[in-house]
Short mmCIF file of all heavy atoms in Angstrom, two decimals:
data_model
loop_
_atom_site.label_atom_id
_atom_site.label_comp_id
_atom_site.label_asym_id
_atom_site.label_seq_id
_atom_site.Cartn_x
_atom_site.Cartn_y
_atom_site.Cartn_z
N LYS A 1287 222.28 70.79 98.21
CA LYS A 1287 221.09 69.97 98.44
C LYS A 1287 220.78 69.06 97.23
O LYS A 1287 219.97 68.13 97.34
CB LYS A 1287 219.90 70.87 98.73
CG LYS A 1287 220.04 71.66 100.02
CD LYS A 1287 219.03 72.77 100.16
CE LYS A 1287 219.28 73.58 101.43
NZ LYS A 1287 218.41 74.76 101.57
N TYR A 1288 221.46 69.34 96.13
CA TYR A 1288 221.30 68.52 94.94
C TYR A 1288 222.57 67.70 94.65
O TYR A 1288 222.72 67.16 93.56
CB TYR A 1288 220.95 69.40 93.72
CG TYR A 1288 219.66 70.14 93.94
CD1 TYR A 1288 219.66 71.42 94.54
CD2 TYR A 1288 218.42 69.60 93.60
CE1 TYR A 1288 218.48 72.10 94.79
CE2 TYR A 1288 217.24 70.28 93.83
CZ TYR A 1288 217.28 71.53 94.42
OH TYR A 1288 216.10 72.18 94.64
N ALA A 1289 223.46 67.62 95.65
CA ALA A 1289 224.75 66.95 95.46
C ALA A 1289 224.71 65.50 95.88
O ALA A 1289 223.93 65.09 96.74
CB ALA A 1289 225.82 67.69 96.22
N HIS A 1290 225.62 64.71 95.30
CA HIS A 1290 225.81 63.32 95.67
C HIS A 1290 227.13 63.15 96.43
O HIS A 1290 227.28 62.14 97.18
CB HIS A 1290 225.85 62.43 94.41
CG HIS A 1290 224.61 62.61 93.56
ND1 HIS A 1290 224.54 63.58 92.58
CD2 HIS A 1290 223.43 61.93 93.55
CE1 HIS A 1290 223.33 63.51 92.01
NE2 HIS A 1290 222.66 62.50 92.57
N VAL A 1291 228.08 64.07 96.24
CA VAL A 1291 229.34 64.03 96.94
C VAL A 1291 229.62 65.41 97.47
O VAL A 1291 229.50 66.40 96.78
CB VAL A 1291 230.49 63.60 96.02
CG1 VAL A 1291 231.83 63.58 96.79
CG2 VAL A 1291 230.22 62.27 95.38
N PHE A 1292 229.93 65.46 98.79
CA PHE A 1292 230.34 66.76 99.38
C PHE A 1292 231.75 66.66 99.86
O PHE A 1292 232.07 65.86 100.75
CB PHE A 1292 229.40 67.14 100.54
CG PHE A 1292 229.59 68.58 101.02
CD1 PHE A 1292 228.75 69.54 100.60
CD2 PHE A 1292 230.67 68.88 101.85
CE1 PHE A 1292 228.94 70.88 101.00
CE2 PHE A 1292 230.87 70.19 102.26
CZ PHE A 1292 230.01 71.18 101.82
N LEU A 1293 232.65 67.47 99.25
CA LEU A 1293 234.03 67.52 99.65
C LEU A 1293 234.25 68.84 100.44
O LEU A 1293 234.05 69.91 99.94
CB LEU A 1293 234.95 67.50 98.42
CG LEU A 1293 234.74 66.33 97.46
CD1 LEU A 1293 235.62 66.52 96.23
CD2 LEU A 1293 235.04 65.02 98.18
N PRO A 1294 234.67 68.71 101.70
CA PRO A 1294 234.84 69.91 102.53
C PRO A 1294 235.86 70.86 101.91
O PRO A 1294 236.93 70.45 101.47
CB PRO A 1294 235.33 69.36 103.88
CG PRO A 1294 234.88 67.94 103.91
CD PRO A 1294 234.94 67.48 102.49
N GLY A 1295 235.49 72.12 101.90
CA GLY A 1295 236.39 73.16 101.37
C GLY A 1295 237.22 73.78 102.48
O GLY A 1295 237.10 73.43 103.67
N SER A 1296 238.06 74.71 102.10
CA SER A 1296 238.91 75.40 103.06
C SER A 1296 238.75 76.90 102.85
O SER A 1296 238.60 77.39 101.73
CB SER A 1296 240.39 75.03 102.88
OG SER A 1296 240.83 75.26 101.54
N SER A 1297 238.78 77.63 103.95
CA SER A 1297 238.66 79.09 103.87
C SER A 1297 239.99 79.71 103.48
O SER A 1297 241.01 79.04 103.46
CB SER A 1297 238.20 79.66 105.23
OG SER A 1297 239.28 79.59 106.16
N PHE A 1298 239.98 81.01 103.19
CA PHE A 1298 241.21 81.70 102.79
C PHE A 1298 242.25 81.66 103.89
O PHE A 1298 243.45 81.82 103.63
CB PHE A 1298 240.90 83.13 102.37
CG PHE A 1298 240.67 84.08 103.49
CD1 PHE A 1298 241.58 85.08 103.79
CD2 PHE A 1298 239.52 84.03 104.27
CE1 PHE A 1298 241.42 85.98 104.83
CE2 PHE A 1298 239.31 84.92 105.30
CZ PHE A 1298 240.24 85.88 105.58
N LEU A 1299 241.82 81.46 105.12
CA LEU A 1299 242.76 81.42 106.24
C LEU A 1299 243.55 80.11 106.31
O LEU A 1299 244.54 80.00 107.08
CB LEU A 1299 242.02 81.61 107.54
CG LEU A 1299 241.27 82.95 107.74
CD1 LEU A 1299 240.36 82.87 108.96
CD2 LEU A 1299 242.26 84.09 107.84
N GLU A 1300 243.14 79.14 105.50
CA GLU A 1300 243.69 77.80 105.62
C GLU A 1300 244.51 77.39 104.40
O GLU A 1300 244.74 76.20 104.16
CB GLU A 1300 242.53 76.78 105.81
CG GLU A 1300 241.69 77.08 107.04
CD GLU A 1300 240.33 76.44 106.96
OE1 GLU A 1300 240.27 75.22 106.65
OE2 GLU A 1300 239.33 77.12 107.22
N LYS A 1301 244.98 78.36 103.62
CA LYS A 1301 245.65 78.00 102.37
C LYS A 1301 246.69 79.05 101.99
O LYS A 1301 246.68 80.18 102.46
CB LYS A 1301 244.63 77.87 101.27
CG LYS A 1301 243.86 79.15 100.97
CD LYS A 1301 242.84 78.98 99.85
CE LYS A 1301 241.67 78.15 100.26
NZ LYS A 1301 240.58 78.11 99.27
N ASP A 1302 247.55 78.65 101.08
CA ASP A 1302 248.50 79.56 100.45
C ASP A 1302 248.10 79.75 98.98
O ASP A 1302 247.49 78.85 98.38
CB ASP A 1302 249.94 78.98 100.46
CG ASP A 1302 250.55 79.08 101.86
OD1 ASP A 1302 250.82 80.20 102.29
OD2 ASP A 1302 250.77 78.04 102.48
N GLY A 1303 248.41 80.91 98.45
CA GLY A 1303 248.11 81.14 97.06
C GLY A 1303 248.11 82.64 96.75
O GLY A 1303 248.79 83.42 97.39
N THR A 1304 247.31 83.00 95.74
CA THR A 1304 247.20 84.41 95.35
C THR A 1304 245.76 84.75 94.95
O THR A 1304 245.05 83.84 94.48
CB THR A 1304 248.13 84.77 94.17
OG1 THR A 1304 247.83 83.91 93.06
CG2 THR A 1304 249.59 84.58 94.52
N PHE A 1305 245.39 85.97 95.11
CA PHE A 1305 244.16 86.53 94.56
C PHE A 1305 244.52 87.68 93.63
O PHE A 1305 245.55 88.34 93.81
CB PHE A 1305 243.24 87.13 95.68
CG PHE A 1305 242.64 86.14 96.63
CD1 PHE A 1305 242.33 86.54 97.93
CD2 PHE A 1305 242.33 84.82 96.23
CE1 PHE A 1305 241.75 85.63 98.85
CE2 PHE A 1305 241.79 83.94 97.11
CZ PHE A 1305 241.47 84.32 98.44
N THR A 1306 243.66 87.92 92.64
CA THR A 1306 243.83 89.08 91.74
C THR A 1306 242.62 89.98 91.87
O THR A 1306 241.49 89.55 91.63
CB THR A 1306 244.02 88.62 90.29
OG1 THR A 1306 245.08 87.68 90.21
CG2 THR A 1306 244.32 89.82 89.39
N ASN A 1307 242.83 91.20 92.27
CA ASN A 1307 241.70 92.10 92.56
C ASN A 1307 241.23 92.85 91.32
O ASN A 1307 241.69 92.59 90.20
CB ASN A 1307 242.05 93.04 93.70
CG ASN A 1307 242.98 94.18 93.28
OD1 ASN A 1307 243.53 94.17 92.18
ND2 ASN A 1307 243.18 95.14 94.15
N ALA A 1308 240.33 93.81 91.50
CA ALA A 1308 239.72 94.57 90.40
C ALA A 1308 240.70 95.42 89.62
O ALA A 1308 240.43 95.79 88.49
CB ALA A 1308 238.58 95.39 90.92
N GLU A 1309 241.82 95.77 90.24
CA GLU A 1309 242.83 96.56 89.52
C GLU A 1309 243.95 95.71 88.98
O GLU A 1309 245.04 96.23 88.72
CB GLU A 1309 243.38 97.65 90.48
CG GLU A 1309 243.90 97.07 91.75
CD GLU A 1309 244.58 98.09 92.68
OE1 GLU A 1309 244.77 99.25 92.26
OE2 GLU A 1309 244.98 97.69 93.78
N ARG A 1310 243.69 94.41 88.81
CA ARG A 1310 244.68 93.46 88.25
C ARG A 1310 245.84 93.21 89.27
O ARG A 1310 246.92 92.74 88.83
CB ARG A 1310 245.24 93.92 86.92
CG ARG A 1310 244.26 94.02 85.79
CD ARG A 1310 244.84 94.71 84.57
NE ARG A 1310 244.90 96.15 84.75
CZ ARG A 1310 246.01 96.81 85.04
NH1 ARG A 1310 247.19 96.19 85.11
NH2 ARG A 1310 246.01 98.13 85.18
N ARG A 1311 245.65 93.54 90.50
CA ARG A 1311 246.73 93.37 91.50
C ARG A 1311 246.74 91.94 92.03
O ARG A 1311 245.77 91.49 92.60
CB ARG A 1311 246.55 94.36 92.63
CG ARG A 1311 247.69 94.33 93.66
CD ARG A 1311 247.50 95.36 94.73
NE ARG A 1311 247.38 96.71 94.21
CZ ARG A 1311 248.40 97.45 93.79
NH1 ARG A 1311 249.66 96.98 93.87
NH2 ARG A 1311 248.22 98.69 93.32
N ILE A 1312 247.89 91.28 91.90
CA ILE A 1312 248.06 89.93 92.39
C ILE A 1312 248.71 90.02 93.77
O ILE A 1312 249.82 90.56 93.92
CB ILE A 1312 249.01 89.14 91.45
CG1 ILE A 1312 248.45 89.23 89.99
CG2 ILE A 1312 249.09 87.68 91.87
CD1 ILE A 1312 249.49 88.80 88.95
N SER A 1313 248.02 89.49 94.77
CA SER A 1313 248.48 89.57 96.16
C SER A 1313 248.51 88.19 96.79
O SER A 1313 247.75 87.30 96.44
CB SER A 1313 247.53 90.48 96.97
OG SER A 1313 247.49 91.76 96.44
N ARG A 1314 249.43 88.05 97.74
CA ARG A 1314 249.60 86.77 98.40
C ARG A 1314 248.49 86.47 99.42
O ARG A 1314 248.09 87.32 100.18
CB ARG A 1314 250.95 86.73 99.11
CG ARG A 1314 252.12 86.50 98.19
CD ARG A 1314 252.27 85.03 97.83
NE ARG A 1314 253.03 84.32 98.86
CZ ARG A 1314 252.52 83.35 99.60
NH1 ARG A 1314 251.27 82.98 99.44
NH2 ARG A 1314 253.26 82.75 100.53
N VAL A 1315 248.08 85.23 99.38
CA VAL A 1315 247.23 84.65 100.42
C VAL A 1315 248.11 83.70 101.20
O VAL A 1315 248.75 82.81 100.59
CB VAL A 1315 246.03 83.89 99.81
CG1 VAL A 1315 245.15 83.30 100.88
CG2 VAL A 1315 245.21 84.84 98.93
N ARG A 1316 248.20 83.88 102.50
CA ARG A 1316 249.09 83.06 103.28
C ARG A 1316 248.33 82.25 104.35
O ARG A 1316 247.40 82.78 104.97
CB ARG A 1316 250.16 83.91 103.98
CG ARG A 1316 251.10 84.58 102.96
CD ARG A 1316 252.16 85.43 103.67
NE ARG A 1316 253.10 86.00 102.73
CZ ARG A 1316 252.92 87.19 102.12
NH1 ARG A 1316 251.83 87.89 102.37
NH2 ARG A 1316 253.80 87.65 101.24
N LYS A 1317 248.74 81.02 104.55
CA LYS A 1317 248.05 80.15 105.49
C LYS A 1317 248.21 80.67 106.91
O LYS A 1317 249.34 80.93 107.38
CB LYS A 1317 248.60 78.73 105.42
CG LYS A 1317 247.87 77.73 106.31
CD LYS A 1317 248.53 76.37 106.35
CE LYS A 1317 248.46 75.67 105.01
NZ LYS A 1317 248.99 74.27 105.15
#
Side-chain angles (χ1 to χ4, degrees):
K1287 294 167 185 176
Y1288 299 90
H1290 305 87
V1291 180
F1292 191 99
L1293 304 176
S1296 56
S1297 73
F1298 78 109
L1299 298 169
E1300 301 160 49
K1301 63 180 70 172
D1302 285 293
T1304 58
F1305 292 152
T1306 306
N1307 75 350
E1309 53 173 355
R1310 296 170 283 104
R1311 184 178 303 282
I1312 307 162
S1313 301
R1314 282 280 278 116
V1315 179
R1316 295 180 177 88
K1317 184 188 292 186

